[in-house]
Amino acid sequence: MDAAIEKAWWKECAVYQIYPRSFFDSNGDGVGDLAGITQKLDYIASLGVGAVWLNPVYDSPNDDMGYDIRNYEAIMQEFGTMADFDALLNGLHARGMRLIMDLVVNHSSDEHAWFVESRKSKDNRYRDFYIWRDGKDGAEPNNWASFFTPSAWKYDAKTDQWYLHLFSEKQPDLNWRNPAVRAEVYAMMNRWFDRGVDGFRMDVINLIAKAEGLPDGAGSPSPEGYVFAPAHFADQPPVHDYLREMRRACFDGRDCMCVGETPFSSSATAFSYVDPVHRELDMVFSFDLMDIDSGKSGKWEIVPWNLDRMKSIIEDWQTALTDGWNILFCSNHDQPRPVSRFGSLKSEALRVRSAKMLGVAMHLLRGTPFLYQGEELGMTNVPFRDIFDIRDLESLNFYRLAAARGEAEAAWQAILHKGRDNARVPMQWSAEQNASFTTGTPWLMVNPNHDVINVEAAEHDPDSVLHFYRKLLRLRADSRTLLYGDFRLIEREHAQVFAYTRMLEGKTCIILCNMSEKTARLTEQRGGECILRNMNGAMQANLLEPFEARVLVSDDADFDKQRSERG
Ligand code: TEU
Ligand code: CA
């Protein structure tokens, strides 16, 4: 069996994503920090994860919460010191866990020394570290919209030119065509590797090459008259050249995990990045599932998601990456909480059951599970009171523009549903004040439901999402069938059930998830021993209770052996 499978630690472990600003505050300033994470290392280890992905911790003015880096090799003052970083890294390694850093090199902060120099003059040696162009007829060089602002260009009077920023004005895009930029980035990455980090999650890495000549985008313009043009800045051919160069310069010879965040990539394009022949990246984050409830005009146009589409997306990615490897996730710092989005809050019992079901549905697929902090508690979206509770510039900019068009209320409803702050409120440690996240004033409000949803309560509740997630990850780790088995969709036409099998050398696991609030009748009897279920009570072979998840196994000697060994 092993001969047919290319095993790797980063395929077998689960990864826990920590948003440091909101994980735990050790010094009472209301902002999470590295020392706070170190204080929680035993909790993190107790989840059964093999690695931690830290959102950016580098020096930053925090225009985009750390995704605007001012110094790639200094720690953000609010998060602590490099000594705090080393203590966290050593603490993770001492517990057999690895550390994955967030690498944001499509753009830097406009306060980065490179950009401060670059904007000084057209002949400055750093001028070409960024993308500067003359205007056209007194306006922007092209019609591109940015993710966060109407135009993707900002005029700089000092040199009478415009610079490109696909995100905020304080996030100028780096010019990856410039070999000096690439050399600086690779050297910086190698210094972090030499410090002991175990890999990188690379922010929007498929956007680092822009189309030759920066042509205007086609398609319907935004209300402000700009066109969002990923056809000209996503998955451009030079990205492969840069990633292969990066692998040679940084990854080769190292036992590391390097994953890419690749918005807009199709599963076929994703495979071109993770194809084992070149293995530019080990795996990528897909957006298809995260955009399942986005309308034509983007994330703020909320449309109902449907199960048939979810099934076809998952089957597409599982199939396309059969010879590659998938990241399994439904939660991160940019996305609303999955239990609010795909589960049920109709009752506390259904919140707990549907949160567990979503964990089974996602994390027993073929790939590496990425859990986002609080997912293991079934944390929910937040009842923000008004726009003044919001901190994320993506939401604030969207709201301001919508309000100017008289659409404030519709924008507010969209923010409540899909604003990124939903996932960024403080981790809920207890029912105490501020959920025991801080003894100070939290930088972002704490969800009032921390009185019920918190780590302390979950530890004392054997039926909590937390205990279930631990079981789920252990079950996966103990079974080569769940780690490396093939994926096959079953119950394809079922309107309520998402189900699939994982098979390896005649051993089969059947994963059954009723994603609806009604009892579901399976189309065929599903035999086998039930080794995991997200609820107690009588179980009928071909009926699934609302939001019930069930894992069946057929004569899989692995489980018997592992279970008897574990006792
Ligand atoms: O996100 C990239 C990205 O595509 C997001 O803008 C996403 O589409 C949007 O947030 C959905 O609401 C990465 C980081 O994860 C994000 O936090 C940063 O703001 C962004 O890049 C810029 O660095
Ligand atoms: Ca702090």
mmCIF file of all heavy atoms in Angstrom, residues 386-430:
data_model
loop_
_atom_site.group_PDB
_atom_site.id
_atom_site.type_symbol
_atom_site.label_atom_id
_atom_site.label_comp_id
_atom_site.label_asym_id
_atom_site.label_seq_id
_atom_site.Cartn_x
_atom_site.Cartn_y
_atom_site.Cartn_z
ATOM 1 N N ASP A 386 -24.028 47.972 15.154
ATOM 2 C CA ASP A 386 -24.040 48.952 14.052
ATOM 3 C C ASP A 386 -22.626 49.035 13.484
ATOM 4 O O ASP A 386 -21.708 48.375 13.961
ATOM 5 C CB ASP A 386 -24.513 50.324 14.560
ATOM 6 C CG ASP A 386 -23.661 50.798 15.733
ATOM 7 O OD1 ASP A 386 -22.438 50.509 15.742
ATOM 8 O OD2 ASP A 386 -24.228 51.395 16.660
ATOM 9 N N ILE A 387 -22.473 49.859 12.470
ATOM 10 C CA ILE A 387 -21.193 49.919 11.744
ATOM 11 C C ILE A 387 -20.039 50.317 12.672
ATOM 12 O O ILE A 387 -18.875 50.013 12.385
ATOM 13 C CB ILE A 387 -21.310 50.866 10.535
ATOM 14 C CG1 ILE A 387 -20.160 50.644 9.545
ATOM 15 C CG2 ILE A 387 -21.395 52.314 10.988
ATOM 16 C CD1 ILE A 387 -20.137 49.312 8.849
ATOM 17 N N PHE A 388 -20.360 50.927 13.800
ATOM 18 C CA PHE A 388 -19.281 51.343 14.713
ATOM 19 C C PHE A 388 -18.685 50.165 15.462
ATOM 20 O O PHE A 388 -17.635 50.287 16.092
ATOM 21 C CB PHE A 388 -19.801 52.424 15.678
ATOM 22 C CG PHE A 388 -20.308 53.644 14.955
ATOM 23 C CD1 PHE A 388 -21.690 53.860 14.796
ATOM 24 C CD2 PHE A 388 -19.422 54.517 14.342
ATOM 25 C CE1 PHE A 388 -22.158 54.958 14.081
ATOM 26 C CE2 PHE A 388 -19.883 55.624 13.617
ATOM 27 C CZ PHE A 388 -21.257 55.844 13.478
ATOM 28 N N ASP A 389 -19.324 48.998 15.399
ATOM 29 C CA ASP A 389 -18.744 47.785 15.984
ATOM 30 C C ASP A 389 -17.733 47.129 15.045
ATOM 31 O O ASP A 389 -17.045 46.202 15.428
ATOM 32 C CB ASP A 389 -19.856 46.744 16.246
ATOM 33 C CG ASP A 389 -20.591 47.021 17.554
ATOM 34 O OD1 ASP A 389 -20.050 47.781 18.381
ATOM 35 O OD2 ASP A 389 -21.715 46.523 17.730
ATOM 36 N N ILE A 390 -17.678 47.613 13.799
ATOM 37 C CA ILE A 390 -16.901 46.944 12.743
ATOM 38 C C ILE A 390 -15.499 47.550 12.661
ATOM 39 O O ILE A 390 -15.321 48.770 12.792
ATOM 40 C CB ILE A 390 -17.631 47.077 11.390
ATOM 41 C CG1 ILE A 390 -19.003 46.385 11.470
ATOM 42 C CG2 ILE A 390 -16.811 46.530 10.231
ATOM 43 C CD1 ILE A 390 -18.965 44.903 11.803
ATOM 44 N N ARG A 391 -14.490 46.704 12.407
ATOM 45 C CA ARG A 391 -13.104 47.170 12.303
ATOM 46 C C ARG A 391 -12.480 46.871 10.937
ATOM 47 O O ARG A 391 -11.441 47.454 10.613
ATOM 48 C CB ARG A 391 -12.250 46.466 13.372
ATOM 49 C CG ARG A 391 -12.631 46.791 14.807
ATOM 50 C CD ARG A 391 -12.301 48.215 15.219
ATOM 51 N NE ARG A 391 -12.776 48.538 16.543
ATOM 52 C CZ ARG A 391 -14.026 48.955 16.797
ATOM 53 N NH1 ARG A 391 -14.909 49.074 15.781
ATOM 54 N NH2 ARG A 391 -14.426 49.240 18.032
ATOM 55 N N ASP A 392 -13.043 45.958 10.181
ATOM 56 C CA ASP A 392 -12.407 45.501 8.939
ATOM 57 C C ASP A 392 -12.604 46.515 7.818
ATOM 58 O O ASP A 392 -13.736 46.879 7.484
ATOM 59 C CB ASP A 392 -13.008 44.147 8.543
ATOM 60 C CG ASP A 392 -12.462 43.654 7.210
ATOM 61 O OD1 ASP A 392 -11.357 44.088 6.811
ATOM 62 O OD2 ASP A 392 -13.150 42.860 6.553
ATOM 63 N N LEU A 393 -11.475 46.920 7.203
ATOM 64 C CA LEU A 393 -11.567 47.971 6.176
ATOM 65 C C LEU A 393 -12.377 47.498 4.967
ATOM 66 O O LEU A 393 -13.033 48.314 4.286
ATOM 67 C CB LEU A 393 -10.183 48.437 5.750
ATOM 68 C CG LEU A 393 -9.470 47.755 4.600
ATOM 69 C CD1 LEU A 393 -8.378 48.606 4.056
ATOM 70 C CD2 LEU A 393 -8.973 46.384 5.007
ATOM 71 N N GLU A 394 -12.366 46.170 4.708
ATOM 72 C CA GLU A 394 -13.168 45.696 3.562
ATOM 73 C C GLU A 394 -14.637 46.041 3.788
ATOM 74 O O GLU A 394 -15.322 46.563 2.902
ATOM 75 C CB GLU A 394 -13.004 44.183 3.382
ATOM 76 C CG GLU A 394 -13.815 43.643 2.205
ATOM 77 C CD GLU A 394 -13.863 42.121 2.144
ATOM 78 O OE1 GLU A 394 -14.090 41.466 3.174
ATOM 79 O OE2 GLU A 394 -13.677 41.603 1.033
ATOM 80 N N SER A 395 -15.125 45.776 4.988
ATOM 81 C CA SER A 395 -16.527 46.078 5.304
ATOM 82 C C SER A 395 -16.773 47.578 5.411
ATOM 83 O O SER A 395 -17.778 48.092 4.900
ATOM 84 C CB SER A 395 -16.920 45.399 6.629
ATOM 85 O OG SER A 395 -16.848 43.997 6.513
ATOM 86 N N LEU A 396 -15.846 48.293 6.044
ATOM 87 C CA LEU A 396 -16.038 49.736 6.248
ATOM 88 C C LEU A 396 -16.078 50.473 4.910
ATOM 89 O O LEU A 396 -16.945 51.322 4.664
ATOM 90 C CB LEU A 396 -14.934 50.291 7.150
ATOM 91 C CG LEU A 396 -14.975 49.785 8.606
ATOM 92 C CD1 LEU A 396 -13.696 50.196 9.357
ATOM 93 C CD2 LEU A 396 -16.213 50.323 9.335
ATOM 94 N N ASN A 397 -15.152 50.101 4.009
ATOM 95 C CA ASN A 397 -15.124 50.763 2.683
ATOM 96 C C ASN A 397 -16.386 50.437 1.904
ATOM 97 O O ASN A 397 -17.000 51.315 1.282
ATOM 98 C CB ASN A 397 -13.899 50.307 1.884
ATOM 99 C CG ASN A 397 -12.609 50.888 2.432
ATOM 100 O OD1 ASN A 397 -12.637 51.713 3.349
ATOM 101 N ND2 ASN A 397 -11.483 50.446 1.900
ATOM 102 N N PHE A 398 -16.796 49.171 1.976
ATOM 103 C CA PHE A 398 -18.016 48.741 1.263
ATOM 104 C C PHE A 398 -19.225 49.514 1.795
ATOM 105 O O PHE A 398 -20.040 50.053 1.032
ATOM 106 C CB PHE A 398 -18.206 47.235 1.451
ATOM 107 C CG PHE A 398 -19.586 46.728 1.130
ATOM 108 C CD1 PHE A 398 -20.093 46.788 -0.169
ATOM 109 C CD2 PHE A 398 -20.403 46.206 2.131
ATOM 110 C CE1 PHE A 398 -21.376 46.321 -0.463
ATOM 111 C CE2 PHE A 398 -21.691 45.755 1.846
ATOM 112 C CZ PHE A 398 -22.170 45.810 0.540
ATOM 113 N N TYR A 399 -19.305 49.622 3.102
ATOM 114 C CA TYR A 399 -20.465 50.300 3.718
ATOM 115 C C TYR A 399 -20.502 51.778 3.334
ATOM 116 O O TYR A 399 -21.555 52.319 2.961
ATOM 117 C CB TYR A 399 -20.401 50.171 5.241
ATOM 118 C CG TYR A 399 -21.595 50.762 5.964
ATOM 119 C CD1 TYR A 399 -22.781 50.049 6.096
ATOM 120 C CD2 TYR A 399 -21.547 52.064 6.482
ATOM 121 C CE1 TYR A 399 -23.890 50.606 6.742
ATOM 122 C CE2 TYR A 399 -22.638 52.625 7.117
ATOM 123 C CZ TYR A 399 -23.797 51.887 7.253
ATOM 124 O OH TYR A 399 -24.893 52.448 7.875
ATOM 125 N N ARG A 400 -19.328 52.413 3.380
ATOM 126 C CA ARG A 400 -19.268 53.854 3.090
ATOM 127 C C ARG A 400 -19.742 54.122 1.655
ATOM 128 O O ARG A 400 -20.570 54.992 1.406
ATOM 129 C CB ARG A 400 -17.830 54.343 3.281
ATOM 130 C CG ARG A 400 -17.626 55.846 3.141
ATOM 131 C CD ARG A 400 -16.270 56.303 3.633
ATOM 132 N NE ARG A 400 -15.205 55.371 3.299
ATOM 133 C CZ ARG A 400 -14.680 55.238 2.065
ATOM 134 N NH1 ARG A 400 -15.154 55.990 1.090
ATOM 135 N NH2 ARG A 400 -13.711 54.380 1.814
ATOM 136 N N LEU A 401 -19.270 53.317 0.716
ATOM 137 C CA LEU A 401 -19.655 53.515 -0.690
ATOM 138 C C LEU A 401 -21.149 53.236 -0.873
ATOM 139 O O LEU A 401 -21.861 53.977 -1.553
ATOM 140 C CB LEU A 401 -18.826 52.599 -1.589
ATOM 141 C CG LEU A 401 -17.349 52.976 -1.734
ATOM 142 C CD1 LEU A 401 -16.568 51.839 -2.386
ATOM 143 C CD2 LEU A 401 -17.188 54.261 -2.541
ATOM 144 N N ALA A 402 -21.642 52.176 -0.216
ATOM 145 C CA ALA A 402 -23.066 51.839 -0.354
ATOM 146 C C ALA A 402 -23.929 52.923 0.267
ATOM 147 O O ALA A 402 -24.944 53.341 -0.310
ATOM 148 C CB ALA A 402 -23.342 50.493 0.304
ATOM 149 N N ALA A 403 -23.501 53.420 1.422
ATOM 150 C CA ALA A 403 -24.297 54.465 2.103
ATOM 151 C C ALA A 403 -24.377 55.707 1.226
ATOM 152 O O ALA A 403 -25.431 56.341 1.124
ATOM 153 C CB ALA A 403 -23.662 54.789 3.446
ATOM 154 N N ALA A 404 -23.275 55.990 0.519
ATOM 155 C CA ALA A 404 -23.258 57.174 -0.367
ATOM 156 C C ALA A 404 -24.275 57.012 -1.499
ATOM 157 O O ALA A 404 -24.771 57.990 -2.057
ATOM 158 C CB ALA A 404 -21.860 57.368 -0.943
ATOM 159 N N ARG A 405 -24.637 55.745 -1.785
ATOM 160 C CA ARG A 405 -25.623 55.508 -2.850
ATOM 161 C C ARG A 405 -27.018 55.281 -2.247
ATOM 162 O O ARG A 405 -27.932 54.820 -2.905
ATOM 163 C CB ARG A 405 -25.234 54.241 -3.649
ATOM 164 C CG ARG A 405 -23.883 54.298 -4.344
ATOM 165 C CD ARG A 405 -23.741 53.163 -5.350
ATOM 166 N NE ARG A 405 -23.899 51.860 -4.702
ATOM 167 C CZ ARG A 405 -22.882 51.134 -4.211
ATOM 168 N NH1 ARG A 405 -21.642 51.624 -4.261
ATOM 169 N NH2 ARG A 405 -23.084 49.963 -3.648
ATOM 170 N N GLY A 406 -27.133 55.528 -0.917
ATOM 171 C CA GLY A 406 -28.439 55.317 -0.287
ATOM 172 C C GLY A 406 -28.752 53.865 -0.034
ATOM 173 O O GLY A 406 -29.923 53.493 0.121
ATOM 174 N N GLU A 407 -27.722 53.016 0.020
ATOM 175 C CA GLU A 407 -27.955 51.571 0.204
ATOM 176 C C GLU A 407 -27.361 51.067 1.518
ATOM 177 O O GLU A 407 -26.906 49.924 1.606
ATOM 178 C CB GLU A 407 -27.358 50.804 -0.986
ATOM 179 C CG GLU A 407 -27.976 51.177 -2.318
ATOM 180 C CD GLU A 407 -27.113 50.730 -3.509
ATOM 181 O OE1 GLU A 407 -26.146 49.968 -3.282
ATOM 182 O OE2 GLU A 407 -27.388 51.162 -4.648
ATOM 183 N N ALA A 408 -27.385 51.917 2.542
ATOM 184 C CA ALA A 408 -26.725 51.563 3.812
ATOM 185 C C ALA A 408 -27.342 50.323 4.444
ATOM 186 O O ALA A 408 -26.625 49.426 4.885
ATOM 187 C CB ALA A 408 -26.794 52.744 4.764
ATOM 188 N N GLU A 409 -28.639 50.230 4.483
ATOM 189 C CA GLU A 409 -29.299 49.110 5.189
ATOM 190 C C GLU A 409 -28.975 47.781 4.514
ATOM 191 O O GLU A 409 -28.628 46.799 5.168
ATOM 192 C CB GLU A 409 -30.805 49.327 5.272
ATOM 193 C CG GLU A 409 -31.564 48.244 6.058
ATOM 194 C CD GLU A 409 -30.926 47.892 7.424
ATOM 195 O OE1 GLU A 409 -30.301 48.780 8.059
ATOM 196 O OE2 GLU A 409 -31.010 46.707 7.813
ATOM 197 N N ALA A 410 -29.046 47.748 3.198
ATOM 198 C CA ALA A 410 -28.730 46.497 2.485
ATOM 199 C C ALA A 410 -27.271 46.121 2.737
ATOM 200 O O ALA A 410 -26.946 44.952 2.980
ATOM 201 C CB ALA A 410 -28.988 46.658 0.995
ATOM 202 N N ALA A 411 -26.407 47.119 2.747
ATOM 203 C CA ALA A 411 -24.982 46.849 2.998
ATOM 204 C C ALA A 411 -24.804 46.305 4.407
ATOM 205 O O ALA A 411 -24.048 45.343 4.627
ATOM 206 C CB ALA A 411 -24.172 48.130 2.812
ATOM 207 N N TRP A 412 -25.530 46.896 5.354
ATOM 208 C CA TRP A 412 -25.384 46.443 6.736
ATOM 209 C C TRP A 412 -25.814 44.983 6.876
ATOM 210 O O TRP A 412 -25.158 44.172 7.520
ATOM 211 C CB TRP A 412 -26.176 47.331 7.689
ATOM 212 C CG TRP A 412 -26.114 46.897 9.112
ATOM 213 C CD1 TRP A 412 -27.147 46.529 9.916
ATOM 214 C CD2 TRP A 412 -24.923 46.742 9.908
ATOM 215 N NE1 TRP A 412 -26.693 46.160 11.149
ATOM 216 C CE2 TRP A 412 -25.326 46.281 11.182
ATOM 217 C CE3 TRP A 412 -23.570 46.926 9.682
ATOM 218 C CZ2 TRP A 412 -24.423 46.011 12.206
ATOM 219 C CZ3 TRP A 412 -22.657 46.667 10.705
ATOM 220 C CH2 TRP A 412 -23.087 46.218 11.948
ATOM 221 N N GLN A 413 -26.897 44.614 6.251
ATOM 222 C CA GLN A 413 -27.355 43.212 6.323
ATOM 223 C C GLN A 413 -26.312 42.278 5.730
ATOM 224 O O GLN A 413 -26.037 41.199 6.254
ATOM 225 C CB GLN A 413 -28.698 43.057 5.593
ATOM 226 C CG GLN A 413 -29.882 43.746 6.302
ATOM 227 C CD GLN A 413 -29.989 43.341 7.784
ATOM 228 O OE1 GLN A 413 -29.852 42.162 8.129
ATOM 229 N NE2 GLN A 413 -30.183 44.327 8.645
ATOM 230 N N ALA A 414 -25.681 42.712 4.640
ATOM 231 C CA ALA A 414 -24.650 41.877 4.007
ATOM 232 C C ALA A 414 -23.443 41.733 4.932
ATOM 233 O O ALA A 414 -22.854 40.649 5.055
ATOM 234 C CB ALA A 414 -24.230 42.481 2.675
ATOM 235 N N ILE A 415 -23.095 42.820 5.620
ATOM 236 C CA ILE A 415 -21.950 42.763 6.542
ATOM 237 C C ILE A 415 -22.247 41.829 7.712
ATOM 238 O O ILE A 415 -21.399 41.041 8.139
ATOM 239 C CB ILE A 415 -21.596 44.187 7.031
ATOM 240 C CG1 ILE A 415 -20.968 44.990 5.873
ATOM 241 C CG2 ILE A 415 -20.656 44.156 8.227
ATOM 242 C CD1 ILE A 415 -20.851 46.481 6.145
ATOM 243 N N LEU A 416 -23.474 41.905 8.226
ATOM 244 C CA LEU A 416 -23.835 40.992 9.327
ATOM 245 C C LEU A 416 -23.675 39.538 8.906
ATOM 246 O O LEU A 416 -23.298 38.680 9.676
ATOM 247 C CB LEU A 416 -25.281 41.241 9.768
ATOM 248 C CG LEU A 416 -25.536 42.456 10.664
ATOM 249 C CD1 LEU A 416 -27.029 42.604 10.925
ATOM 250 C CD2 LEU A 416 -24.765 42.336 11.979
ATOM 251 N N HIS A 417 -23.974 39.282 7.626
ATOM 252 C CA HIS A 417 -23.975 37.902 7.133
ATOM 253 C C HIS A 417 -22.567 37.443 6.742
ATOM 254 O O HIS A 417 -22.171 36.326 7.041
ATOM 255 C CB HIS A 417 -24.894 37.820 5.915
ATOM 256 C CG HIS A 417 -25.210 36.422 5.485
ATOM 257 N ND1 HIS A 417 -26.234 35.672 6.016
ATOM 258 C CD2 HIS A 417 -24.611 35.616 4.575
ATOM 259 C CE1 HIS A 417 -26.257 34.485 5.442
ATOM 260 N NE2 HIS A 417 -25.272 34.423 4.569
ATOM 261 N N LYS A 418 -21.789 38.337 6.089
ATOM 262 C CA LYS A 418 -20.511 37.867 5.514
ATOM 263 C C LYS A 418 -19.319 38.767 5.831
ATOM 264 O O LYS A 418 -18.245 38.576 5.269
ATOM 265 C CB LYS A 418 -20.639 37.723 3.993
ATOM 266 C CG LYS A 418 -21.481 36.517 3.600
ATOM 267 C CD LYS A 418 -21.602 36.347 2.103
ATOM 268 C CE LYS A 418 -20.401 35.760 1.442
ATOM 269 N NZ LYS A 418 -20.636 35.607 -0.012
ATOM 270 N N GLY A 419 -19.510 39.731 6.724
ATOM 271 C CA GLY A 419 -18.357 40.571 7.082
ATOM 272 C C GLY A 419 -17.279 39.746 7.760
ATOM 273 O O GLY A 419 -17.577 38.795 8.497
ATOM 274 N N ARG A 420 -16.030 40.111 7.510
ATOM 275 C CA ARG A 420 -14.909 39.321 8.028
ATOM 276 C C ARG A 420 -14.763 39.440 9.548
ATOM 277 O O ARG A 420 -14.214 38.532 10.198
ATOM 278 C CB ARG A 420 -13.620 39.731 7.326
ATOM 279 C CG ARG A 420 -13.675 39.547 5.814
ATOM 280 C CD ARG A 420 -12.345 39.684 5.146
ATOM 281 N NE ARG A 420 -11.701 40.974 5.334
ATOM 282 C CZ ARG A 420 -10.512 41.295 4.793
ATOM 283 N NH1 ARG A 420 -9.865 40.403 4.050
ATOM 284 N NH2 ARG A 420 -9.958 42.468 4.978
ATOM 285 N N ASP A 421 -15.324 40.496 10.140
ATOM 286 C CA ASP A 421 -15.224 40.616 11.604
ATOM 287 C C ASP A 421 -15.961 39.492 12.309
ATOM 288 O O ASP A 421 -15.656 39.162 13.461
ATOM 289 C CB ASP A 421 -15.771 41.974 12.081
ATOM 290 C CG ASP A 421 -14.828 43.110 11.691
ATOM 291 O OD1 ASP A 421 -13.652 43.078 12.114
ATOM 292 O OD2 ASP A 421 -15.255 44.001 10.945
ATOM 293 N N ASN A 422 -16.919 38.866 11.634
ATOM 294 C CA ASN A 422 -17.623 37.727 12.243
ATOM 295 C C ASN A 422 -16.654 36.658 12.737
ATOM 296 O O ASN A 422 -16.914 35.978 13.729
ATOM 297 C CB ASN A 422 -18.570 37.086 11.216
ATOM 298 C CG ASN A 422 -19.909 37.812 11.130
ATOM 299 O OD1 ASN A 422 -20.603 37.964 12.129
ATOM 300 N ND2 ASN A 422 -20.232 38.300 9.945
ATOM 301 N N ALA A 423 -15.543 36.494 11.976
ATOM 302 C CA ALA A 423 -14.590 35.435 12.345
ATOM 303 C C ALA A 423 -13.445 35.984 13.188
ATOM 304 O O ALA A 423 -12.570 35.226 13.605
ATOM 305 C CB ALA A 423 -14.014 34.797 11.080
ATOM 306 N N ARG A 424 -13.444 37.302 13.437
ATOM 307 C CA ARG A 424 -12.269 37.911 14.063
ATOM 308 C C ARG A 424 -12.503 38.373 15.491
ATOM 309 O O ARG A 424 -11.596 38.880 16.134
ATOM 310 C CB ARG A 424 -11.788 39.101 13.197
ATOM 311 C CG ARG A 424 -11.432 38.663 11.777
ATOM 312 C CD ARG A 424 -10.968 39.811 10.901
ATOM 313 N NE ARG A 424 -10.561 39.303 9.577
ATOM 314 C CZ ARG A 424 -9.987 40.059 8.638
ATOM 315 N NH1 ARG A 424 -9.752 41.355 8.885
ATOM 316 N NH2 ARG A 424 -9.642 39.540 7.473
ATOM 317 N N VAL A 425 -13.714 38.172 16.006
ATOM 318 C CA VAL A 425 -13.938 38.549 17.404
ATOM 319 C C VAL A 425 -13.143 37.596 18.298
ATOM 320 O O VAL A 425 -12.791 36.490 17.877
ATOM 321 C CB VAL A 425 -15.440 38.503 17.770
ATOM 322 C CG1 VAL A 425 -16.219 39.524 16.961
ATOM 323 C CG2 VAL A 425 -16.008 37.109 17.644
ATOM 324 N N PRO A 426 -12.851 38.016 19.508
ATOM 325 C CA PRO A 426 -12.004 37.226 20.398
ATOM 326 C C PRO A 426 -12.449 35.783 20.599
ATOM 327 O O PRO A 426 -13.646 35.478 20.613
ATOM 328 C CB PRO A 426 -12.071 38.000 21.713
ATOM 329 C CG PRO A 426 -12.236 39.423 21.293
ATOM 330 C CD PRO A 426 -13.154 39.357 20.082
ATOM 331 N N MET A 427 -11.455 34.920 20.694
ATOM 332 C CA MET A 427 -11.667 33.503 21.031
ATOM 333 C C MET A 427 -12.394 33.442 22.362
ATOM 334 O O MET A 427 -12.122 34.234 23.255
ATOM 335 C CB MET A 427 -10.303 32.819 21.108
ATOM 336 C CG MET A 427 -10.327 31.364 21.457
ATOM 337 S SD MET A 427 -11.011 30.361 20.104
ATOM 338 C CE MET A 427 -10.796 28.724 20.810
ATOM 339 N N GLN A 428 -13.337 32.494 22.475
ATOM 340 C CA GLN A 428 -14.208 32.449 23.652
ATOM 341 C C GLN A 428 -13.723 31.358 24.615
ATOM 342 O O GLN A 428 -14.006 30.192 24.449
ATOM 343 C CB GLN A 428 -15.663 32.253 23.193
ATOM 344 C CG GLN A 428 -16.115 33.444 22.349
ATOM 345 C CD GLN A 428 -17.449 33.319 21.629
ATOM 346 O OE1 GLN A 428 -17.741 34.146 20.784
ATOM 347 N NE2 GLN A 428 -18.221 32.308 21.948
ATOM 348 N N TRP A 429 -12.957 31.806 25.640
ATOM 349 C CA TRP A 429 -12.305 30.880 26.579
ATOM 350 C C TRP A 429 -13.204 30.502 27.746
ATOM 351 O O TRP A 429 -13.113 29.393 28.281
ATOM 352 C CB TRP A 429 -10.993 31.483 27.107
ATOM 353 C CG TRP A 429 -9.960 31.666 26.042
ATOM 354 C CD1 TRP A 429 -9.596 32.841 25.442
ATOM 355 C CD2 TRP A 429 -9.195 30.630 25.394
ATOM 356 N NE1 TRP A 429 -8.637 32.606 24.479
ATOM 357 C CE2 TRP A 429 -8.367 31.266 24.438
ATOM 358 C CE3 TRP A 429 -9.108 29.243 25.540
ATOM 359 C CZ2 TRP A 429 -7.481 30.551 23.622
ATOM 360 C CZ3 TRP A 429 -8.220 28.540 24.739
ATOM 361 C CH2 TRP A 429 -7.428 29.194 23.798
ATOM 362 N N SER A 430 -14.093 31.449 28.147
ATOM 363 C CA SER A 430 -14.952 31.145 29.307
ATOM 364 C C SER A 430 -16.191 32.020 29.229
ATOM 365 O O SER A 430 -16.343 32.875 28.348
ATOM 366 C CB SER A 430 -14.199 31.451 30.609
ATOM 367 O OG SER A 430 -14.309 32.846 30.879
#
